Amino acid sequence: MNHDMPTSSGTKDVVSSHSVFGAPCWVSLTSRDVKATEEFYGAVLGWQWRPAKLGDRFRIALADGSPVAGIAGVAAMWQMAVAWTPYFAVRSADDAVARVQERMGTVAVGPISLPPGRAALLADRDGATFGIWEGDLFTDWETWRNAQPAFITLHTRDAFDAAIFYGEVLDWATQRPGCCEVHYEGGEVVLRSLGDVVARIESGALGAAPDPAIRPHWQVHFSVDDVEACARAAELHGGSVLSKGSDEAVLRDHDGAQFTVTARRGR
């Protein structure tokens, strides 16, 4: 979750989760070692860092001065998996959590109050982890949208079944102003927010696979200028390259968290 959510300034620039509900609004990484994580992602993605308000184990990643992700060095202490997790904006955290439970999903944490909002960490019925946020977002929301991950992808058993689950939990395709649009394209489910592709859902994951890269999970894609340079930097700093193409590479960081770098292009 965003470990440094600002309090509302009362200005017209503050954007609420109520106006962009259903859309990805943040990504967060749980890690074992904050310093090592800073060094790795600084080298691979060029991020800078600043402290978060929740304490020494938390950091905010900056790209060109704009916050793009949160880091929580609590994996060992809280016995959590090392992984990237997307958070979605919701109109009501309580309603979203209740809908997850009604649909056989899992509530891991929350909802908990993190002024100026509320958050929860959840899993869908196939075990893919995601979070929700209700409350104020950034005063520079459009800047974050431009600097954010290119999109996120859910690798799951059945894309259409997953789309129904998330659509009912997150109010996708409800025709309400601000809701996300859902399209079915080439066997994939494509999610658009304000015209931008922000998520994809694809079938093919194996629920009982021993490899977490094959089990259902959300994959975060970061936009970069040079995929090859990111892959080289990952290997030089203790990570690994799982696969690589001309415009995309799937990487693991020094701690085992998997993510994708994608050549920067218009969405």
Side-chain angles (χ1 to χ4, degrees):
M1 69 191 68
N2 186 345
H3 311 296
D4 200 20
M5 275 293 185
T7 55
S8 176
S9 64
T11 69
K12 65 180 181 179
D13 293 326
V14 172
V15 175
S16 167
S17 64
H18 290 250
S19 61
V20 292
F21 60 91
C25 65
W26 190 244
V27 290
S28 180
L29 172 66
T30 50
S31 74
R32 296 186 180 90
D33 186 322
V34 169
K35 181 174 176 55
T37 299
E38 287 181 339
E39 292 175 354
F40 179 87
Y41 286 96
V44 175
L45 298 178
W47 286 348
Q48 300 84 44
W49 305 91
R50 66 173 169 82
K53 296 175 182 177
L54 294 184
D56 292 341
R57 294 181 182 270
F58 300 89
R59 295 288 189 277
I60 301 298
L62 306 173
D64 297 324
S66 295
V68 291
I71 306 296
V74 297
M77 181 175 65
W78 292 354
Q79 296 184 335
M80 298 176 67
V82 174
W84 279 101
T85 301
Y87 280 74
F88 294 85
V90 296
R91 296 161 66 94
S92 168
D94 289 324
D95 288 350
V97 166
R99 292 171 185 173
V100 166
Q101 292 173 315
E102 290 167 358
R103 290 157 180 80
M104 306 302 292
T106 303
V107 179
V109 179
I112 57 175
S113 294
L114 294 171
R118 306 182 75 213
L121 183 63
L122 312 165
D124 65 25
R125 51 192 169 219
D126 285 324
T129 301
F130 67 103
I132 56 169
W133 173 261
E134 173 198 355
D136 288 345
L137 305 179
F138 297 107
T139 54
D140 55 349
W141 170 249
E142 287 301 327
T143 300
W144 185 85
R145 282 178 57 82
N146 292 331
Q148 70 169 323
F151 52 86
I152 55 176
T153 302
L154 176 62
H155 301 274
T156 190
R157 290 185 309 103
D158 186 318
F160 300 103
D161 181 69
I164 292 172
F165 173 89
Y166 284 96
E168 292 175 342
V169 169
L170 301 174
D171 284 326
W172 291 349
T174 59
Q175 306 306 314
R176 295 174 179 170
C179 79
C180 293
E181 300 174 358
V182 177
H183 302 270
Y184 300 93
E185 302 174 5
E188 288 186 336
V189 177
V190 178
L191 184 72
R192 286 186 170 85
S193 175
L194 303 180
D196 290 333
V197 175
V198 294
R200 297 179 184 271
I201 303 177
E202 59 183 32
S203 303
L206 302 176
D211 186 347
I214 300 175
R215 293 198 300 267
H217 69 283
W218 281 99
Q219 182 85 351
V220 180
H221 298 240
F222 294 104
S223 295
V224 299
D225 293 323
D226 190 333
V227 169
E228 179 65 33
C230 290
R232 288 197 305 269
E235 291 181 315
L236 287 172
H237 290 81
S240 58
V241 178
L242 301 184
S243 65
K244 185 173 63 175
S246 60
D247 61 355
E248 187 170 278
V250 180
L251 310 176
R252 274 202 178 116
D253 69 16
H254 64 293
D255 223 3
Q258 183 174 305
F259 64 102
T260 298
V261 291
T262 302
R264 196 180 307 280
R265 57 181 178 270
R267 289 178 291 165

